[in-house]
């Protein structure tokens, strides 16, 4: 007689992350006195890696951000050096995942710029980027580095286009032109072979980035209006945050190969701020942070039902403007830290580190909460990725040598022109403005250009007059006349002899 076991699932599921708690850094380990930007663009305005913390700041006459070594805590002096080469507000900043000194920024001035930060940090204002990338006809709102290739950068502009930049030549190599409105979010799967986007046209897309082909598209947003999207590692799932038809904040889980219906939808609360999702593929934990409120909820994600297991909520009275996330190799494994946020508190000019910690009594290395994780070495060269090769990230252990220096060197190409042609389309062609603000911005930009050209002409006219006067003075100089007379008389004497 065969005995069949009954499948039984307890209502409460035990988890090693059930008691994870958020620990705010002491005041002496925070960063104070930072004029955090008041821009209302829905980005984090913050980027962090194992060496530096970068924050977009409030500035006049262009965009700027500060770069502070992560160990330089305390109050930042008012005249602390800035990265300030953009002509418009900086809208997004991202560190190169394979080179701690290289950061990309994008701005309302329609450009993307690559900056190299010295090892010791900035001693004076940095105004010259190592690379300027011009290709968008409107402001650029989002940038993302490719997760396995060091020299590939994606940028999304208000011209509804995504450009793929090859930084080894400083030119765009592909333009993805399938969106009909502003792109809100970009997210890659683990190996970077798929790109998920959310857009104001109310469509969620899964795109093959090298061909630009849309593999999956969902337009049925009757119950869930998507704002942000994130790939859930290698689970072949997507998670989106957005609002329901009753304007409550909610999250939805999707199968990346079938976006016709979400697997599950879950309402969070009735607040209005944007929900930012953060996913940790090593622990399968999802963090949800609301813009404008101080709470961070966290869940564990599983392949089987109930898919989303609520764990706990970190609460704080101070509202967050944005959040930076420390890469895994920058965490304190000795304290069982599995995630670290850098929270921007605009009203106080404060950046507050928040560590998510698994409470463990043992002080030895905890293998079960620190599996092999994507490291600081690229898996592919630019040419390999562009030729169609896919490869997962190069993994590293956090047990030993996780702070080893990276030997990768960034070499910027020599560039003459500002612009490019992709797929036979001139990326800098004039696009008619769609709104009154865009028309005014274009008008003022053209006025500035005319003023600059007039100044150049005036300066050249003055230079020409100066040169003409100098030439006339030389011709009428008495020394020249005496020399001419003496030479003519000596020649006549010679002939008489």
């Amino acid at each position: 007689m065969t005995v069949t076991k009954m499948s039984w699932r307890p209502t409460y599921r035990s988890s090693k992350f059930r008691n994870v708690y958020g620990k705010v850094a002491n005041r002496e380990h925070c960063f104070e006195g930072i004029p955090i930007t008041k821009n209302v663009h829905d980005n984090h305005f913050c980027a962090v890696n194992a060496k530096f913390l970068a924050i977009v700041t409030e500035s006049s006459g262009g965009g700027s951000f500060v770069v502070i070594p992560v160990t330089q805590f305390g109050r930042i002096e008012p005249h602390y050096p800035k990265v300030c080469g953009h002509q418009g507000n900086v809208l997004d900043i991202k560190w190169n995942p394979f080179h701690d000194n290289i950061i990309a920024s994008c701005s309302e001035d329609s450009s993307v710029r690559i900056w190299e930060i010295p090892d010791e940090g900035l001693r004076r204002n940095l105004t010259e980027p190592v690379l300027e990338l011009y290709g968008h006809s409107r402001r650029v709102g989002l940038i993302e580095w490719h997760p396995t290739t060091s020299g590939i950068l994606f940028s999304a502009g208000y011209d509804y286009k995504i450009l793929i930049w090859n930084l080894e030549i400083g030119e765009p190599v592909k333009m993805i032109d399938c969106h009909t409105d502003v792109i809100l979010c970009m997210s890659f799967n683990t190996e970077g072979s798929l790109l998920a986007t959310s857009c104001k046209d109310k469509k969620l897309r899964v795109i093959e980035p090298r061909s630009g082909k849309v593999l999956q598209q969902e337009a049925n947003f009757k119950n869930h209006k998507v704002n942000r999207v994130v790939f859930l590692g290698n689970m072949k799932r997507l998670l989106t945050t957005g609002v329901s038809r009753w304007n409550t904040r909610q999250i939805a889980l999707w199968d990346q190969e079938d976006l016709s219906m979400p697997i599950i939808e879950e309402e969070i609360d009735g607040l209005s701020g944007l929900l930012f999702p953060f996913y940790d593929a090593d622990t399968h934990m999802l963090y949800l942070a609301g813009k404008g409120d101080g709470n961070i909820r966290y869940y564990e994600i599983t392949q089987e039902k109930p898919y989303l297991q609520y764990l706990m909520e970190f609460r704080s009275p101070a509202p967050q403007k944005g959040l930076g996330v420390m890469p895994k190799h920058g965490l304190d494994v000795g304290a069982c830290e599995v995630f670290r946020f850098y929270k921007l508190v605009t009203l106080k000019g404060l950046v507050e580190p928040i560590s998510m910690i698994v409470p463990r009594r043992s002080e030895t290395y905890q293998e079960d909460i620190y599996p092999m994780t994507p490291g600081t070495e690229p898996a592919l060269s630019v040419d390999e990725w562009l030729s169609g090769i896919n490869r997962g990230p190069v993994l590293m252990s956090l047990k030993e040598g996780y702070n080893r220096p990276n030997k990768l060197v960034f070499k910027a190409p020599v560039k003459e022109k500002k612009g490019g042609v992709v797929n036979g389309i001139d990326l800098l062609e004039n696009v008619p403005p769609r709104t009154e603000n865009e028309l005014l911005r274009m008008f003022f930009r053209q006025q500035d250009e005319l003023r600059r050209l007039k100044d150049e002409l005036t300066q050249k006219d003055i230079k020409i007059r100066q040169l003409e006067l100098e030439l006339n003075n030389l011709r009428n100089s008495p020394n020249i006349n005496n020399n001419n007379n003496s030479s003519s008389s000596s020649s006549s004497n010679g002939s008489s002899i």
Side-chain angles (χ1 to χ4, degrees):
M1 187 178 75
T2 59
V3 178
T4 57
K5 291 184 179 180
M6 289 182 65
S7 63
W8 176 77
R9 181 183 297 279
T11 53
Y12 174 76
R13 184 177 158 275
S14 68
S15 165
K16 67 182 86 169
F17 303 111
R18 181 166 57 95
N19 295 316
V20 168
Y21 66 95
K23 182 182 179 183
V24 181
N26 297 329
R27 196 65 184 230
E28 57 265 26
H29 290 112
C30 295
F31 304 83
E32 297 184 72
I34 299 169
I36 300 167
T37 180
K38 295 181 176 63
N39 196 308
V40 295
H41 192 70
D42 283 331
N43 268 348
H44 292 294
F45 301 111
C46 178
V48 64
N49 64 21
K51 283 171 79 171
F52 298 111
L53 169 67
I55 305 118
V56 179
T57 55
E58 195 69 15
S59 62
S60 56
S64 66
F65 57 96
V66 293
V67 176
I68 308 162
V70 287
T71 54
Q72 189 181 313
F73 312 113
R75 182 164 290 278
I76 304 303
E77 60 184 49
H79 300 294
Y80 193 84
K82 293 183 175 70
V83 180
C84 49
H86 281 287
Q87 277 83 50
N89 289 328
V90 175
L91 298 180
D92 199 9
I93 47 176
K94 294 277 165 58
W95 289 105
N96 185 327
F98 309 108
H99 197 309
D100 283 345
N101 297 60
I102 299 296
I103 188 168
S105 62
C106 64
S107 164
E108 288 183 348
D109 64 11
S110 306
S111 76
V112 177
R113 303 189 185 203
I114 312 297
W115 311 86
E116 185 163 17
I117 308 299
D119 281 328
E120 67 279 1
L122 296 179
R123 294 281 180 265
R124 61 185 66 85
N125 282 354
L126 182 61
T127 57
E128 288 299 319
V130 291
L131 205 52
E132 289 182 63
L133 307 174
Y134 290 90
H136 289 282
S137 57
R138 287 193 172 81
R139 59 181 170 162
V140 187
L142 284 173
I143 44 176
E144 289 289 344
W145 292 93
H146 191 269
T148 59
T149 314
S150 174
I152 294 288
L153 182 73
F154 285 61
S155 63
Y158 276 60
D159 52 6
Y160 313 157
K161 295 174 176 60
I162 296 174
L163 294 183
I164 305 175
W165 300 91
N166 177 354
L167 301 187
E168 290 183 355
I169 60 172
E171 296 291 342
V173 289
K174 178 70 187 173
M175 179 170 68
I176 300 172
D177 191 11
C178 59
H179 299 84
T180 59
D181 210 324
V182 175
I183 299 142
L184 300 173
C185 186
M186 296 189 287
S187 177
F188 288 100
N189 65 345
T190 306
E191 61 182 21
S193 60
L194 296 175
L195 174 70
T197 64
S198 60
C199 181
K200 265 192 176 178
D201 64 9
K202 300 182 180 178
K203 291 180 183 177
L204 174 65
R205 294 173 174 86
V206 175
I207 301 165
E208 202 293 309
R210 282 165 295 213
S211 65
K213 183 182 177 184
V214 179
L215 304 178
Q216 288 289 325
Q217 180 171 295
E218 168 55 22
N220 182 22
F221 283 140
K222 291 176 183 174
N223 298 326
H224 180 71
K225 180 184 172 187
V226 170
N227 283 323
R228 290 291 180 272
V229 59
V230 63
F231 262 103
L232 300 180
N234 288 323
M235 284 186 169
K236 295 195 172 181
R237 300 270 168 84
L238 296 167
L239 184 125
T240 58
T241 66
V243 292
S244 69
R245 64 166 78 179
W246 298 282
N247 276 341
T248 56
R249 296 197 294 192
Q250 65 174 187
I251 54 177
L253 191 67
W254 309 77
D255 182 342
Q256 74 179 36
E257 294 173 358
D258 180 13
L259 299 183
S260 57
M261 283 288 287
I263 299 169
I264 57 164
E265 290 175 334
E266 187 167 315
E267 294 199 5
I268 304 299
D269 57 31
L271 299 178
S272 59
L274 186 72
L275 268 180
F276 289 117
F278 302 89
Y279 180 66
D280 180 4
D282 295 346
T283 59
H284 303 296
M285 283 179 68
L286 170 76
Y287 300 87
L288 294 179
K291 186 175 182 179
D293 54 75
N295 303 346
I296 301 173
R297 296 172 177 84
Y298 36 106
Y299 302 76
E300 192 171 8
I301 294 189
T302 57
Q303 288 279 23
E304 305 85 28
K305 287 183 179 180
Y307 305 115
L308 276 168
Q309 183 78 35
Y310 175 77
L311 295 173
M312 217 181 286
E313 182 175 2
F314 167 81
R315 293 176 178 272
S316 167
Q320 55 226 5
K321 170 83 173 180
L323 293 160
V325 173
M326 174 65 78
K328 271 292 164 96
H329 61 275
L331 299 179
D332 182 359
V333 295
C336 295
E337 183 183 35
V338 290
F339 216 71
R340 190 191 304 161
F341 293 102
Y342 284 77
K343 171 179 170 176
L344 305 189
V345 185
T346 311
L347 295 174
K348 298 179 181 177
L350 178 72
V351 179
E352 200 175 53
I354 303 169
S355 298
M356 310 308 292
I357 293 172
V358 180
R360 295 276 172 100
R361 286 182 181 172
S362 173
E363 293 182 5
T364 57
Y365 180 74
Q366 307 291 307
E367 299 266 1
D368 60 328
I369 61 173
Y370 295 116
M372 297 286 281
T373 191
T376 56
E377 295 175 27
L380 290 167
S381 70
V382 171
D383 292 336
E384 283 176 326
W385 185 77
L386 289 174
S387 69
I389 298 172
N390 293 320
R391 201 174 291 150
V394 179
L395 300 180
M396 67 191 285
S397 168
L398 299 184
K399 186 172 184 178
E400 50 194 355
Y402 64 92
N403 277 328
R404 63 182 181 270
N406 196 327
K407 300 292 190 293
L408 195 67
V409 175
F410 183 82
K411 289 183 180 177
V414 178
K415 278 173 63 74
E416 295 289 332
K417 56 183 180 177
K418 293 184 178 181
V421 174
V422 175
N423 300 345
I425 300 170
D426 182 5
L427 297 171
L428 289 177
E429 63 184 346
N430 289 324
V431 179
R434 290 189 175 93
T435 65
E436 188 178 345
N437 282 339
E438 285 184 4
L439 183 65
L440 283 170
R441 199 178 298 126
M442 184 179 283
F443 170 74
F444 288 126
R445 196 159 56 220
Q446 288 175 346
Q447 290 291 99
D448 289 340
E449 183 69 10
L450 282 171
R451 201 175 295 114
R452 187 183 64 78
L453 290 170
K454 282 179 181 177
D455 288 343
E456 274 186 23
L457 280 172
T458 306
Q459 293 296 327
K460 285 177 180 174
D461 284 342
I462 292 169
K463 188 73 177 171
I464 289 168
R465 287 198 204 99
Q466 285 176 342
L467 290 170
E468 284 176 345
L469 284 170
E470 286 176 14
L471 192 60
N472 286 332
N473 288 338
L474 283 170
R475 282 176 181 163
N476 298 327
S477 171
N479 292 333
I480 291 175
N481 290 333
N482 290 336
N483 289 337
N484 289 338
N485 292 334
S486 61
S487 62
S488 61
S489 62
S490 61
S491 62
S492 60
N493 290 334
S495 62
S496 61
I497 291 169

